[in-house]
């Protein structure tokens, strides 16, 4: 990890790539520590961290699309909610007699 932080090596990669490489190295170290200690929990944690690195990269690139999708869903929910409130409530005839008694 220290080698990645040397200025000569950092010039080879853009700043976001450097952070993703550091996360990948951390995941690799965690996985290998779990293998060395014969601990399946730590090994699984390393694998989960390694799977999360591409997910983090993808999420950074597609945040705008998630935001548009959320705005669309919120807009649809509000329009259906307002449409439902405008309808007059219809109570069956038998219910009115029970309420009067």
């Amino acid at each position: 990890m220290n080698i990645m932080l040397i200025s000569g090596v950092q010039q080879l990669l853009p700043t976001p790539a450097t952070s993703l490489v550091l996360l990948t190295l951390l995941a690799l170290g965690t996985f290998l520590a779990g293998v060395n200690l014969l601990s399946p929990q730590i090994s699984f944690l390393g694998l989960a961290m390694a799977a999360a690195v591409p997910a983090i990269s993808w999420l950074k690139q597609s945040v705008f699309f998630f935001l548009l999708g959320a705005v669309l869903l919120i807009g649809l929910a509000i329009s259906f909610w307002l449409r439902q409130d405008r309808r007059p409530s219809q109570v069956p005839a038998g219910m009115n007699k029970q309420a009067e008694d």
Side-chain angles (χ1 to χ4, degrees):
M1 290 177 88
N2 286 334
I3 292 173
M4 287 303 302
L5 297 176
I6 296 173
S7 63
V9 177
Q10 281 187 342
Q11 291 175 356
L12 298 174
L13 296 171
T15 304
T18 303
S19 63
L20 292 175
V21 168
L22 289 174
L23 285 173
T24 304
L25 288 173
L26 180 65
L28 176 65
T30 306
F31 174 75
L32 292 176
V35 169
N36 188 31
L37 296 173
L38 299 175
S39 172
Q41 293 92 357
I42 296 175
S43 296
F44 178 74
L45 178 63
L47 289 175
M49 288 168 58
V53 170
I56 290 170
S57 174
W58 179 74
L59 185 65
K60 280 182 172 180
Q61 293 175 356
S62 60
V63 166
F64 182 69
F65 294 115
F66 283 132
L67 183 64
L68 285 177
V71 168
L72 175 73
L73 289 176
I74 290 170
L76 285 173
I78 289 174
S79 67
F80 283 123
W81 181 62
L82 291 175
R83 190 173 186 190
Q84 186 179 20
D85 285 346
R86 290 183 185 166
R87 292 183 186 167
S89 61
Q90 297 177 354
V91 180
M95 295 295 285
N96 287 338
K97 290 180 183 178
Q98 290 176 358
E100 291 174 3
D101 291 336

